């Protein structure tokens, strides 16, 4: 059994054939898709966060709206770039969204990836401390976010407050009990996967990672996951770790599927650079008739190691088509792989 969710990058553009032409389209369709996916039995609705782009950039209003419209589906991000965040403000926003959803938030965070503008976090008012890189800053903010999520008081109360204070130091409100244990780290390397385990965060591994050995993507990703699990066990955490992997998977069951994604057949891993000095490997897409798809996915070592699969979706094609894409996986593919 595996949990199956969707991951939307939340694109919009005024282009022919797009159903999501404006930010409003994308936001409202994201809510509708999450509701529909809960009804069909999908386990999660996750959203990528990008700034300075025609994509979803402010996750908490969207997550709160979905939380208010649904009852069971997990709601999350994959991932929030911590270089852009005020960790304390984020604790308040995340706490509110989690309470609205009844404790279903699964937040993916990371130190960040290349963005649309140079050092975009500077425009948000943030600078690395002396001797820090921007990646160091992102990890530092992540640790502060994790610490403040615990709900332990840390702020000295005003002796003459507007409203009466409880005794002792004050914490941020609203506090969402248990949210600290539902934070995931998006790791692009083996080292950061181990670090995430040491910090007690679940692991999100996407369709790319730094190339650390020249092996096929799914093999390298599986190795990363095994290192993460070993580090989690060594750290002595009492909870069970969770691991998600993202995949572009399309079951070709009608002519529209074949027209849109038939060219993805037989795609292979790609090598590129997401940073100037960091060689990365990008995992292949999967597109085939269900029987063939089952065979190909069964050979994906990283999927076998993960407990959660996040299906990246073409959100610009609209709610109805994405419901078809996801329901095709649930109906024709998941049972054959033992995911259902």
């Amino acid at each position: 059994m595996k949990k199956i969710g969707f991951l939307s990058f939340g694109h919009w553009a005024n282009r022919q054939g797009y159903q999501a032409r404006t930010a409003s389209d994308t936001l409202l369709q994201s809510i509708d898709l999450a509701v529909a996916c809960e009804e069909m039995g999908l386990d999660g609705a996750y959203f990528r966060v990008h700034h300075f782009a025609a994509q979803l950039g402010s996750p908490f209003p969207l997550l709160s709206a979905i939380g208010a419209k649904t009852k069971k589906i997990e709601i999350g991000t994959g991932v929030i770039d911590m270089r852009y965040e005020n960790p304390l403000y984020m604790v308040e926003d995340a706490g509110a969204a989690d309470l609205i959803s009844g404790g279903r938030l699964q937040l993916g965070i990371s130190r960040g990836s290349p963005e649309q503008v140079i050092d975009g976090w500077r425009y948000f008012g943030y600078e690395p401390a002396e001797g820090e890189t921007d990646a160091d800053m992102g990890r530092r903010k992540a640790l502060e976010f994790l610490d403040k999520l615990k709900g332990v008081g840390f702020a000295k109360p005003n002796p003459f407050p507007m409203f009466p204070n409880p005794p002792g130091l004050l914490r941020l409100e609203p506090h969402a009990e248990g949210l600290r244990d539902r934070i995931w780290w998006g790791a692009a390397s083996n080292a950061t996967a181990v670090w995430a385990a040491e910090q007690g965060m679940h692991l999100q591994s996407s369709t790319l990672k730094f190339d650390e050995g020249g092996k096929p993507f799914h093999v390298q990703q599986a190795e990363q996951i095994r290192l993460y699990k070993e580090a989690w066990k060594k750290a002595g955490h009492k909870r069970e770790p969770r691991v998600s992997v993202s995949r572009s998977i399309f079951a070709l069951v009608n002519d529209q599927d074949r027209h849109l994604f038939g060219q993805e057949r037989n795609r292979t891993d790609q090598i590129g650079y997401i940073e100037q000095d960091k060689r990365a490997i990008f995992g292949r897409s999967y597109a085939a008739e269900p029987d063939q798809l089952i065979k190909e996915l069964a050979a994906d070592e990283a999927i076998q190691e993960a407990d959660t699969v996040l299906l990246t979706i073409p959100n610009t094609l609209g709610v109805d088509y994405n419901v078809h894409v996801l329901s095709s996986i649930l109906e024709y593919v998941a049972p054959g792989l033992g995911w259902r």
Side-chain angles (χ1 to χ4, degrees):
M1 296 291 290
K2 290 191 188 297
K3 289 185 179 292
I4 306 173
F6 73 80
L7 175 62
S8 173
F9 278 57
H11 293 282
W12 69 85
N14 188 20
R15 295 181 184 172
Q16 185 177 2
Y18 274 31
Q19 299 297 312
R21 297 196 172 197
T22 67
S24 177
D25 289 342
T26 295
L27 288 162
L28 294 174
Q29 289 175 24
S30 295
I31 297 169
D32 290 343
L33 181 59
V35 170
C37 285
E38 179 175 81
E39 291 173 352
M40 78 168 74
L42 213 68
D43 301 301
Y46 287 75
F47 300 90
R48 187 70 168 90
V49 179
H50 278 292
H51 302 288
F52 298 104
Q55 294 176 244
L56 298 171
S58 52
F60 293 109
L62 175 60
L63 297 174
S64 296
I66 293 173
K69 289 267 193 176
T70 58
K71 296 185 182 302
K72 297 183 296 183
I73 196 168
E74 292 182 344
I75 306 164
T77 51
V79 288
I80 297 173
D81 185 336
M82 293 303 295
R83 296 175 300 179
Y84 287 77
E85 296 298 322
N86 176 322
L88 274 65
Y89 204 132
M90 186 173 166
V91 167
E92 295 179 340
D93 281 351
D98 192 49
L99 291 172
I100 288 170
S101 73
R104 289 181 282 128
L105 213 58
Q106 302 282 342
L107 278 185
I109 64 175
S110 82
R111 64 89 163 174
S113 59
E115 292 293 306
Q116 297 298 108
V117 300
I118 297 171
D119 296 346
W121 30 270
R122 295 188 191 276
Y123 294 96
F124 279 56
Y126 301 118
E127 295 281 347
E130 185 175 355
E132 273 190 331
T133 66
D134 62 295
D136 294 333
M137 177 178 68
R139 283 186 283 268
R140 170 172 54 82
K141 289 185 173 192
L143 292 177
E144 184 174 8
F145 175 62
L146 293 175
D147 180 62
K148 298 303 185 290
L149 277 177
K150 295 175 183 176
V152 176
F154 64 93
K156 185 177 179 180
N158 185 344
F160 305 104
M162 180 178 294
F163 305 105
N165 281 323
L169 299 177
L170 302 183
R171 68 184 184 185
L172 294 167
E173 300 289 356
H175 173 63
E177 190 69 35
L179 180 56
R180 167 61 181 84
D181 295 339
R182 286 179 272 116
I183 306 302
W184 304 59
W185 184 259
S189 69
N190 292 346
T192 51
V194 169
W195 178 81
E198 293 169 347
Q199 306 307 320
M201 288 184 280
H202 301 303
L203 177 66
Q204 286 185 339
S205 195
S206 72
T207 51
L208 67 87
K209 69 179 297 294
F210 294 138
D211 187 9
E212 299 178 273
K215 299 176 183 177
F217 171 78
H218 73 100
V219 175
Q220 291 197 47
Q221 192 175 48
E223 291 173 349
Q224 179 195 49
I225 294 169
R226 287 191 283 269
L227 288 170
Y228 166 82
K229 290 178 179 178
E230 290 169 9
W232 183 281
K233 184 177 180 180
K234 185 177 179 181
H237 302 301
K238 303 303 181 186
R239 299 174 286 121
E240 286 296 315
R242 289 185 60 186
V243 177
S244 73
V245 293
S246 304
R247 290 291 185 273
S248 297
I249 303 173
F250 301 98
L252 307 181
V253 299
N254 62 29
D255 288 341
Q256 185 179 20
D257 298 333
R258 296 181 188 96
H259 171 71
L260 290 171
F261 298 106
Q263 74 278 7
E264 300 291 330
R265 297 171 190 259
N266 303 317
R267 285 289 178 93
T268 59
D269 297 342
Q270 301 292 318
I271 297 294
Y273 289 83
I274 55 174
E275 295 178 5
Q276 274 191 332
D277 59 343
K278 295 284 189 180
R279 176 182 159 106
I281 184 166
F282 299 77
R284 56 165 295 194
S285 298
Y286 291 94
E289 281 68 23
D291 288 347
Q292 178 62 27
L293 206 52
I294 289 169
K295 293 178 183 177
E296 293 178 8
L297 293 171
D300 189 310
E301 292 185 20
I303 288 180
Q304 306 313 314
E305 290 285 345
D307 59 80
T308 301
V309 178
L310 299 182
L311 305 171
T312 59
I313 59 166
N315 77 280
T316 55
L317 297 181
V319 174
D320 290 344
Y321 185 70
N322 279 288
V323 165
H324 161 72
V325 167
L326 295 166
S327 63
S328 294
I329 299 297
L330 288 182
E331 181 177 357
Y332 301 114
V333 179
L337 289 163
W339 297 357
R340 281 291 187 271

